[in-house]
Amino acid sequence: MERLVALPFGKSVEIAYQSIRVRFFRSLITTLSLVLAVAFLCYVQAGNRIAETILQTGSEAGFRALLQAGYDVQPGDAAIGESAKQRWLVILSLMVCVVGIVNAQLMAVTERFREIGIMKCLGALDSFILRLFLLEALMQGFIGAAAGALLGAVFAVASSAVQFGALVFTALPLGGITMTILTATATGCLLSLLGVVFPAVKAARMAPVEAMRVEE
Amino acid sequence: MPSDRSANVQHAIIRTTNVVKTFQLGSHTLEVLKGISLNIAADRHVSIMGPSGSGKSTLFNMIGGLDKPTSGKVFINEVDIAQLDAYELAWLRCRKIGYIFQTFNLIPVMTALENVTLPMIFAGTGNDEAVERGMILLKTVGLADRFNHKPSELSGGQQQRVAVARALANGPSIILADEPTGNLDLTTGEEIINLLKRMSEERKVTIISATHDFKMLNVSDEVIWIRDGLIDKIEQRDELRISVGTIE
Ligand SMILES: Nc1ncnc2c1ncn2[C@@H]1O[C@H](COP(=O)(O)OP(=O)(O)O)[C@@H](O)[C@H]1O
Ligand SMILES: [Mg+2]
């Protein structure tokens, strides 16, 4: 007989999901900075896509509206990239967000030392603990990032509508905005995983007695 | 010595040789276990007795493979556990040993049934079979109707019953209990002691409990008295009746 312990993937997903659900508020706090950062990322990118579509219609009114809204466009331009300032703001907000996640996850993991110790006493390997934390972060990341991306896209459309008026609705780049939402969500998932790796590895490596000595 | 006599008759399921455990507290070295050698025969109910701070929990962790001795060896079924790799050690904790703690140590986000079935899942049992066996175990400890309750919705005694059911989940050959009655009142503690006694009789499992609860003496086959990290004396059941009389 092979002397191996196991944790089937489906069961890990179940445990991770349950853990998020039961600790809803803790999960919310962990995810909040991610929601905001991804919303900002998506807002900036979707806004640029909309402006770009208006530019590409080639209409005089559109061009004037863009200039008025502060876009740095020349006659004959076909694309609007992120400005250097926008790019820095986005990168900075994503960095702050990862630091926020690491911080929140370190606290969340510390609160769960005892639980980790118990699981190890019941035969869990380090890899089980690591997998549970990564799955939780992935689920939280997905939900938070998707919510943030939608939020950002909605705000981008709304603020463009205010800036450009009816022009926006004649040239709304739905496909482009959807792509932006998807990439922003994926970015959010990655950031969430990035934020949990260090706390999760630290937790998974703890010896059972060490983990259980921590008073709650 | 009586313990040697019994160990020769029966197979020693746990054997320690000169186990020493020290903790480094800054520049100061605290020697908690100062050389413990003992044999515990299979299928017995052994109590490790000693005052608080005498090193019972530390010894418990060594015997259970939860911590490593500073020097000396621990054998479980004549296997030196220092030689096991992480996978074998996890397998041992999962299949061969059931742990019971003073603070119950159930997983707070899981229901009673989920707590009992988790070790079965780790052991590779399918979900349906785990649920079925989990329910039987909860019934055995008298909590079948509480299967869907979280630990926070159960009393201390009920939580400890769930912990007993969980310890039995994979049919272990050893149950280790560290102050299993330490956080319970007199009657609830007695119920847990009787439950453990019943389990040891019905299931042929070796029960080792670290305790300073004298109620435990009545059900013990053997008592190992620890004082300041050393074995003070080892008494068999028949010798015990006399000393219990003097204690109570
Ligand atoms: N990880 C540790 N670090 C430092 N000291 C410890 C540690 N574990 C136990 N001790 C000390 O060892 C002594 C014995 O502890 P313990 O084994 O818990 O005793 P008991 O269970 O008999 O009450 C105590 O003085 C305790 O403070
Ligand atoms: Mg103790």
Side-chain angles (χ1 to χ4, degrees):
Chain A
M1 191 172 59
E2 219 182 353
R3 301 191 153 198
L4 268 186
V5 286
L7 181 58
F9 188 74
K11 197 74 192 175
S12 331
V13 173
E14 201 180 298
I15 295 175
Y17 169 70
Q18 187 179 18
S19 193
I20 294 178
R21 211 194 47 199
V22 172
R23 278 182 270 257
F24 183 74
F25 281 104
R26 156 65 60 203
S27 311
L28 208 63
I29 293 168
T30 313
T31 323
L32 209 58
S33 72
L34 183 72
V35 175
L36 293 176
V38 172
F40 183 57
L41 168 72
C42 195
Y43 170 77
V44 168
Q45 291 187 339
N48 284 346
R49 289 229 190 213
I50 293 170
E52 201 168 276
T53 317
I54 292 174
L55 181 68
Q56 284 161 356
T57 58
S59 78
E60 186 67 20
F63 191 75
R64 256 196 326 249
L66 283 176
L67 278 179
Q68 215 168 15
Y71 283 92
D72 183 20
V73 284
Q74 309 291 326
D77 278 359
I80 294 177
E82 285 166 7
S83 69
K85 193 175 123 201
Q86 277 182 335
R87 191 169 307 133
W88 271 113
L89 278 177
V90 166
I91 290 176
L92 208 64
S93 80
L94 294 182
M95 272 164 46
V96 169
C97 153
V98 171
V99 173
I101 294 177
V102 173
N103 191 31
Q105 290 284 20
L106 273 176
M107 271 167 64
V109 165
T110 311
E111 278 172 13
R112 288 164 70 178
F113 275 160
R114 179 171 287 270
E115 187 178 326
I116 294 162
I118 301 169
M119 285 208 181
K120 289 202 157 180
C121 287
L122 302 180
L125 295 169
D126 293 6
S127 61
F128 295 6
I129 310 287
L130 191 62
R131 196 197 306 159
L132 287 176
F133 276 99
L134 291 183
L135 277 171
E136 273 184 44
L138 198 62
M139 290 183 206
Q140 278 179 355
F142 178 74
I143 294 169
L150 282 175
L151 201 71
V154 167
F155 267 94
V157 172
S159 80
S160 314
V162 170
Q163 282 177 328
F164 308 122
L167 262 176
V168 166
F169 297 102
T170 57
L172 201 60
L174 281 180
I177 292 180
T178 310
M179 269 311 290
T180 304
I181 291 176
L182 290 181
T183 50
T185 306
T187 308
C189 289
L190 271 178
L191 293 183
S192 181
L193 281 180
L194 197 66
V196 84
V197 166
F198 169 66
V201 167
K202 185 172 166 241
R205 285 211 185 132
M206 281 190 106
V209 268
E210 229 183 296
M212 291 207 303
R213 270 182 74 83
V214 181
E215 284 307 315
E216 279 180 345
Chain B
M1 240 169 82
S3 69
D4 287 338
R5 192 176 61 218
S6 63
N8 288 338
V9 177
Q10 274 173 296
H11 154 70
I13 194 160
I14 287 182
R15 190 158 68 82
T16 70
T17 56
N18 210 17
V19 166
V20 172
K21 180 70 180 178
T22 59
F23 292 107
Q24 200 65 41
L25 301 171
S27 58
H28 175 68
T29 307
L30 181 66
E31 193 173 35
V32 176
L33 299 180
K34 299 173 181 166
I36 301 252
S37 300
L38 49 81
N39 284 321
I40 293 176
D43 302 335
R44 306 193 92 208
H45 189 318
V46 177
S47 289
I48 298 172
M49 282 265 176
S52 177
S54 55
K56 301 183 297 294
S57 296
T58 309
L59 180 60
F60 171 95
N61 292 336
M62 302 297 137
I63 292 177
L66 300 178
D67 202 356
K68 290 191 163 65
T70 310
S71 70
K73 287 187 187 313
V74 176
F75 299 87
I76 296 180
N77 272 327
E78 291 307 324
V79 176
D80 178 359
I81 59 174
Q83 304 298 322
L84 301 179
D85 64 24
Y87 297 93
E88 292 168 319
L89 206 53
W91 188 87
L92 185 81
R93 290 177 194 147
C94 182
R95 303 294 298 263
K96 291 292 153 196
I97 305 176
Y99 303 90
I100 297 171
F101 301 93
Q102 175 172 3
T103 50
F104 323 131
N105 281 357
L106 300 176
I107 295 181
V109 298
M110 294 187 178
T111 64
L113 181 61
E114 286 165 341
N115 266 288
V116 176
T117 54
L118 189 63
M120 300 184 198
I121 302 288
F122 287 165
T125 311
N127 207 44
D128 294 345
E129 193 194 334
V131 165
E132 189 181 322
R133 276 172 35 206
M135 283 308 292
I136 295 174
L137 278 171
L138 282 178
K139 204 168 174 178
T140 313
V141 299
L143 278 177
D145 53 334
R146 296 302 189 101
F147 75 95
N148 212 12
H149 287 232
K150 297 260 165 64
S152 58
E153 300 159 355
L154 298 171
S155 71
Q158 288 170 330
Q159 287 187 54
Q160 198 61 302
R161 281 164 186 273
V162 176
V164 171
R166 178 181 68 183
L168 293 165
N170 289 320
S173 39
I174 304 164
I175 285 195
L176 287 174
D178 189 6
E179 310 258 6
T181 60
N183 277 19
L184 301 175
D185 62 47
L186 208 72
T187 40
T188 329
E190 232 156 48
E191 278 167 30
I192 293 294
I193 291 172
N194 291 332
L195 178 63
L196 284 175
K197 179 184 158 76
R198 182 156 63 87
M199 293 300 126
S200 77
E201 285 164 356
E202 285 174 7
R203 291 172 190 253
K204 282 213 156 274
V205 25
T206 309
I207 298 191
I208 302 168
S209 32
T211 185
H212 58 246
D213 183 349
F214 287 126
K215 295 195 293 297
M216 213 69 165
L217 294 175
N218 300 325
V219 298
S220 305
D221 296 320
E222 182 174 331
V223 178
I224 300 170
W225 298 85
I226 303 266
R227 184 173 296 276
D228 286 333
L230 283 169
I231 294 182
D232 192 18
K233 58 186 171 182
I234 299 180
E235 287 179 313
Q236 302 301 309
R237 190 180 188 79
D238 39 356
E239 304 163 291
L240 215 61
R241 293 194 195 288
I242 308 153
S243 54
V244 173
T246 60
I247 287 163
E248 284 177 346

